[in-house]
Amino acid sequence: MSKLLESSCLHCKKRSDIFEALSDEELDRVDMCRVNMRYHAGEIIFKQGSPCYDFVCVTSGLVKLYIESENDHRLIIGFAKPIDYIFVPGAYVDKRHHFSAVACEDTTACLVEADMIQNMVKTNPNFASSFIRKISAQSIALLEQISSITHKQIPGRMADTLIYLSTKVYNSNPFTTNLIRQDLADLSGMTKESAIRVLKTFKEDDLIRIDGNQIEIINQPMLETISRNG
Amino acid sequence: MSKLLESSCLHCKKRSDIFEALSDEELDRVDMCRVNMRYHAGEIIFKQGSPCYDFVCVTSGLVKLYIESENDHRLIIGFAKPIDYIFVPGAYVDKRHHFSAVACEDTTACLVEADMIQNMVKTNPNFASSFIRKISAQSIALLEQISSITHKQIPGRMADTLIYLSTKVYNSNPFTTNLIRQDLADLSGMTKESAIRVLKTFKEDDLIRIDGNQIEIINQPMLETISRNG
DNA sequence: CGCGAGCTTGACGTTGTTCAACTAGAGTGG
DNA sequence: CCACTCTAGTTGAACAACGTCAAGCTCGCG
């Protein structure tokens, strides 16, 4: 497991790249407004609707971000990986979280006071630009997901999910995951049963291979075709 | 119709409120990097996938923002109204538009060079904060829409759409719109026929009244209940 | 008048969800 | 060690929701 406490932001090997824009003196200021936390797999880091005081910078593990509605449906809108931080849109609007974050592996993260980050945005223009770039990228990811889910049928959506996991989240193929079928379904906007069925057809068609919690994409071109055809 | 040209940003009555953070001198700089444009209803302002050079500030009319996919499906993700500007997430990432914008009424807009805006973000901290606030609000809106479309059935989604139009876009009830049924469908993630059918049931249940291109919400509490129940 | 765009309706088929049952494996306590 | 339970995965059948297709309708306009 990883160290519980980094000695300081200044020498931290795991700080998100938006902090690169900061001077040593500014990093020290961040250092004074942060708490290092450790979460077990399955623990909630913050919950949709709750007030937001901090920005979460993930230093190890994996965090799942999802929105939930009254009728108990969930949609996973993305993951936060190490050396990444979670953009909290409510921080600048209504001081509320608009999605929930749950550790899906054992995870360590630094919580940095939102006020401090917002101050930094005002005092360091390069930091502001990095910040905006990050938000923009997240918006684009949301647009892509909304497009996939609303425009495509089950096979296309699952193909998108598998390619997303392999290329954007785990950066490997095959990849080992502890996401369960329900998670794959929540990523693709379908039920667990539908996810199982479409994965079965993918396996039968030799597009993928699933062995325990390892998933391998065997025929990515075909998956991409399925994705394109919806 | 409105004036083709505002004399200058400095005295412009229609400038978006993010510009409030700017000094007179900065406004003059914006003034030198803008073009005032006029679009007829139906004309494309920019198209998904095209390179983005400008930020669009809508000064009159109404602009519809939508994402489209290969198979000709469209999803309207929002509108830009007068004294509002269109956030372009690609400006900071890949210099591409990730959705399309079409005037749905006769519309005037100022195109401001993206470089200039990005410079302003670096030189004026308050402007940067306003900018981030704006992006955040748009992200939240996207999250709400994705939640509505993926978690709710047809009646719930249409209820959301009607309430959205009345309270967020037209700010009136009844409201007069030149959106056609297909647009209502594209807002709600359903087909034109489904939109027509659910609107019919809403009319039969005296929840709404439709007279030509005027729509009135008669029983908003009931619509909200339908929205909540999905 | 004829045309085209938008609107409406019904019949039909498909997609995907729901529900229920069954299986396998991991952990727990007697 | 064995029942017991719990979670996750799987499968099939029935069903509901929604999209597709085709036809007819209205209305404004050239």
Side-chain angles (χ1 to χ4, degrees):
Chain A
M1 292 298 154
S2 69
K3 279 188 293 180
L4 259 180
L5 270 178
E6 300 301 330
S7 48
S8 79
C9 292
L10 188 50
H11 301 106
C12 179
K13 299 275 188 292
K14 294 175 175 171
R15 60 173 194 246
S16 164
D17 47 0
I18 59 156
F19 292 119
E20 294 313 311
L22 298 185
S23 69
D24 289 0
E25 188 265 333
E26 286 172 319
L27 277 174
D28 275 345
R29 270 198 282 151
V30 172
D31 201 42
M32 295 175 58
C33 297
R34 79 180 169 92
V35 182
N36 199 302
M37 293 287 294
R38 171 172 207 151
Y39 301 95
H40 292 290
E43 286 183 349
I44 292 181
I45 298 174
F46 57 76
K47 203 164 153 52
Q48 181 176 333
S50 65
C52 62
Y53 305 115
D54 310 286
F55 282 87
V56 179
C57 301
V58 181
T59 48
S60 77
L62 189 66
V63 177
K64 163 169 92 178
L65 311 174
Y66 61 90
I67 47 183
E68 45 192 343
S69 57
E70 289 84 0
N71 42 355
D72 213 26
H73 280 191
R74 298 189 324 182
L75 180 78
I76 298 177
I77 57 168
F79 295 90
K81 300 183 296 180
I83 323 213
D84 198 4
Y85 77 101
I86 304 175
F87 164 56
V88 182
Y92 270 87
V93 179
D94 56 2
K95 299 279 178 194
R96 290 283 178 281
H97 287 291
H98 290 265
F99 48 81
S100 301
V102 165
C104 50
E105 303 171 358
D106 286 353
T107 292
T108 55
C110 284
L111 310 189
V112 184
E113 285 181 20
D115 288 347
M116 147 61 61
I117 297 281
Q118 295 186 12
N119 259 321
M120 219 58 104
V121 163
K122 292 208 174 191
T123 54
N124 185 324
N126 290 320
F127 184 76
S129 293
S130 300
F131 196 80
I132 293 173
R133 192 165 305 114
K134 167 73 180 177
I135 306 178
S136 298
Q138 164 140 350
S139 276
I140 291 172
L142 268 184
L143 286 169
E144 279 172 10
Q145 189 182 21
I146 208 174
S147 179
S148 170
I149 292 186
T150 59
H151 293 324
K152 297 179 186 178
Q153 318 210 106
I154 294 253
R157 281 185 263 160
M158 184 53 82
D160 284 341
T161 292
L162 292 173
I163 293 171
Y164 167 74
L165 288 175
S166 168
T167 63
K168 300 284 174 62
V169 180
Y170 295 105
N171 298 311
S172 93
N173 184 29
F175 57 90
T176 303
T177 176
N178 57 2
L179 298 179
I180 61 175
R181 295 291 183 273
Q182 184 69 58
D183 290 325
L184 297 181
D186 289 345
L187 264 166
S188 320
M190 63 183 72
T191 60
K192 177 187 51 173
E193 290 91 337
S194 290
I196 289 166
R197 277 186 254 265
V198 68
L199 286 174
K200 188 184 178 191
T201 71
F202 283 1
K203 281 186 280 190
E204 285 167 358
D205 297 346
D206 285 324
L207 304 178
I208 61 171
R209 196 180 50 74
I210 300 186
D211 183 13
N213 51 7
Q214 178 169 289
I215 300 179
E216 179 176 5
I217 296 177
I218 301 173
N219 190 341
Q220 177 142 356
M222 193 57 201
L223 270 190
E224 281 163 4
T225 304
I226 290 172
S227 161
R228 239 174 291 111
N229 294 345
Chain B
M1 293 302 151
S2 70
K3 281 188 294 180
L4 258 181
L5 270 179
E6 300 299 331
S7 48
S8 80
C9 292
L10 189 50
H11 301 106
C12 179
K13 299 274 189 291
K14 294 175 175 170
R15 60 171 194 246
S16 164
D17 48 359
I18 58 156
F19 293 118
E20 295 313 311
L22 298 185
S23 68
D24 290 0
E25 188 263 336
E26 286 171 319
L27 277 175
D28 276 344
R29 271 198 280 152
V30 172
D31 201 41
M32 294 175 56
C33 296
R34 77 181 171 93
V35 181
N36 199 301
M37 293 288 293
R38 170 170 210 153
Y39 301 95
H40 292 290
E43 287 182 348
I44 292 181
I45 298 174
F46 58 76
K47 202 163 155 54
Q48 182 175 332
S50 64
C52 63
Y53 306 114
D54 310 285
F55 281 87
V56 179
C57 301
V58 180
T59 49
S60 77
L62 189 66
V63 176
K64 167 170 89 178
L65 312 174
Y66 62 91
I67 48 184
E68 43 192 345
S69 57
E70 290 83 0
N71 44 355
D72 213 26
H73 280 190
R74 296 189 327 179
L75 181 78
I76 298 177
I77 56 168
F79 296 89
K81 302 184 294 183
I83 323 210
D84 198 3
Y85 77 101
I86 303 176
F87 164 55
V88 182
Y92 270 88
V93 179
D94 55 2
K95 300 280 180 193
R96 292 281 178 281
H97 287 291
H98 290 265
F99 49 80
S100 303
V102 164
C104 51
E105 301 171 0
D106 286 353
T107 292
T108 55
C110 284
L111 309 189
V112 184
E113 285 179 20
D115 288 346
M116 146 62 60
I117 297 280
Q118 295 186 12
N119 259 321
M120 218 59 105
V121 163
K122 292 207 172 191
T123 53
N124 186 324
N126 289 321
F127 184 75
S129 292
S130 300
F131 196 80
I132 294 174
R133 193 166 301 113
K134 167 72 181 177
I135 306 178
S136 298
Q138 162 140 353
S139 276
I140 292 173
L142 268 184
L143 287 169
E144 280 172 10
Q145 189 183 21
I146 209 173
S147 179
S148 169
I149 292 188
T150 59
H151 293 326
K152 297 179 186 179
Q153 318 211 109
I154 295 253
R157 281 185 262 162
M158 183 54 81
D160 284 340
T161 292
L162 293 172
I163 293 170
Y164 168 73
L165 289 174
S166 167
T167 62
K168 301 282 175 63
V169 180
Y170 295 105
N171 297 311
S172 94
N173 185 26
F175 59 90
T176 304
T177 176
N178 56 4
L179 297 179
I180 63 174
R181 295 291 183 273
Q182 184 68 59
D183 290 325
L184 297 180
D186 289 343
L187 263 166
S188 319
M190 62 183 73
T191 60
K192 179 187 51 177
E193 291 91 337
S194 290
I196 289 166
R197 277 186 255 265
V198 68
L199 285 174
K200 187 185 179 189
T201 70
F202 283 0
K203 281 187 281 190
E204 285 167 358
D205 297 346
D206 286 324
L207 304 178
I208 61 170
R209 197 179 49 73
I210 299 186
D211 185 12
N213 51 9
Q214 180 168 290
I215 300 178
E216 180 176 4
I217 295 176
I218 301 172
N219 190 342
Q220 178 141 356
M222 193 56 201
L223 270 190
E224 280 162 4
T225 303
I226 290 173
S227 160
R228 238 173 293 112
N229 295 344

